Amino acid sequence: MHIRLIIAAFVGLSSPAAAQLYFGQATALDGDSLQMTGATFALAGIDALEARQTCLRGDKVWNCGEYASAALKALVDGKRVKCTQRGTDALGQVIATCTVDGRDLGQEMVRMGLAVALEGTDPDYGEWEDLARLNSAGIWSTEFQAPAEFRESDPLAAQEMRAMLAERERQLKAMEAVRNAPRTVYYSGCRQAQAAGATPLHRGEPGYRIEMDGDGDGVACERYPSRR
């Protein structure tokens, strides 16, 4: 599920200096996101119909969101996918342009009328949206809500959004805790500590052990003789 209205400001803030490439078989999560190589990829430049979204074609309800998800699934199933990273979003998803057999997946979804082009983004699929509209492809032959409008009006989408942001915040805090955790250092004795240039060792410092503090004053190996 894309949450572009809220996260659009974050896209590109963490853009890599050199575009990173990903290859592999992918699983479609919905109409504009993929799971591959353990990461989630959001197709750059488009916003596809949400899986729960419906469209009205004449007097009949069409499950257009499910159709969009199935269309992206058909494009990638069993195929080798190549994704070029363009940035990341607030949820840690990789914003990317992805291709299969040289076909741009974002472009294909817009061309079929199953996604709308996002303004002011790179790539710009505006011309493909105009063509889809002209051909009455997909949603352009129906009455529908723009995906962003649907998410704003859908309570479940807002709930999912809060849950995903909370999970991302938890992940970031866990990574920060790992980065800030004191490193475990172990010296078998004062000779090894001196060889490492760590003596004297004070209580609370990495590598200090009470067994190395002969006089128990909180400073270990302070009088260890120099090696000759």
Side-chain angles (χ1 to χ4, degrees), residues 49-118:
L49 301 165
E50 295 296 321
R52 294 189 303 276
Q53 196 167 349
T54 59
C55 303
L56 188 62
R57 179 173 282 160
D59 59 353
K60 295 183 179 179
V61 174
W62 174 38
N63 293 325
C64 49
E66 291 181 3
Y67 193 90
S69 299
L72 185 58
K73 181 176 185 294
L75 286 170
V76 303
D77 270 6
K79 304 290 182 63
R80 179 175 168 84
V81 179
K82 172 186 175 182
C83 290
T84 303
Q85 183 173 359
R86 294 179 174 274
T88 54
D89 64 23
L91 297 177
Q93 298 178 122
V94 179
I95 303 296
T97 302
C98 298
T99 61
V100 170
D101 297 331
R103 300 165 67 188
D104 184 318
L105 296 178
Q107 177 182 303
E108 287 295 303
M109 293 300 291
V110 173
R111 183 188 64 80
M112 291 187 290
L114 300 174
V116 298
L118 293 174

Side-chain angles (χ1 to χ4, degrees), residues 3-214:
I3 43 177
R4 305 299 183 118
L5 282 183
I6 298 177
I7 66 175
F10 293 89
V11 176
L13 291 181
S14 52
S15 297
Q20 187 168 348
L21 299 179
Y22 300 82
F23 300 89
Q25 290 197 330
T27 301
L29 301 178
D30 52 31
D32 54 15
S33 59
L34 304 168
Q35 190 85 38
M36 184 175 70
T37 63
T40 301
F41 295 79
L43 297 181
I46 75 169
D47 196 4
L49 301 165
E50 295 296 321
R52 294 189 303 276
Q53 196 167 349
T54 59
C55 303
L56 188 62
R57 179 173 282 160
D59 59 353
K60 295 183 179 179
V61 174
W62 174 38
N63 293 325
C64 49
E66 291 181 3
Y67 193 90
S69 299
L72 185 58
K73 181 176 185 294
L75 286 170
V76 303
D77 270 6
K79 304 290 182 63
R80 179 175 168 84
V81 179
K82 172 186 175 182
C83 290
T84 303
Q85 183 173 359
R86 294 179 174 274
T88 54
D89 64 23
L91 297 177
Q93 298 178 122
V94 179
I95 303 296
T97 302
C98 298
T99 61
V100 170
D101 297 331
R103 300 165 67 188
D104 184 318
L105 296 178
Q107 177 182 303
E108 287 295 303
M109 293 300 291
V110 173
R111 183 188 64 80
M112 291 187 290
L114 300 174
V116 298
L118 293 174
E119 294 182 2
T121 62
D122 181 23
D124 181 359
Y125 298 118
E127 291 185 3
W128 290 96
E129 181 180 299
D130 292 341
L131 182 62
R133 194 193 305 262
L134 182 64
N135 293 332
S136 298
I139 57 177
W140 303 112
S141 64
T142 73
E143 295 179 32
F144 71 97
Q145 271 186 303
E149 292 176 358
F150 174 81
R151 289 190 296 271
E152 284 187 331
S153 63
D154 182 35
L156 186 55
Q159 181 180 344
E160 290 175 346
M161 170 64 170
R162 289 192 294 271
M164 288 188 292
L165 287 174
E167 173 61 17
R168 180 57 177 167
E169 183 178 2
R170 185 197 66 76
Q171 292 173 355
L172 290 175
K173 287 182 177 178
M175 290 188 289
E176 184 68 17
V178 170
R179 284 195 296 266
N180 293 334
R183 296 180 180 179
T184 301
V185 178
Y186 179 84
Y187 300 114
S188 60
C190 287
R191 186 178 296 276
Q192 185 182 19
Q194 188 208 29
T199 56
L201 293 168
H202 296 79
R203 183 181 288 116
E205 291 180 345
Y208 173 90
R209 290 187 295 116
I210 188 64
E211 293 86 349
M212 298 164 67
D213 187 357

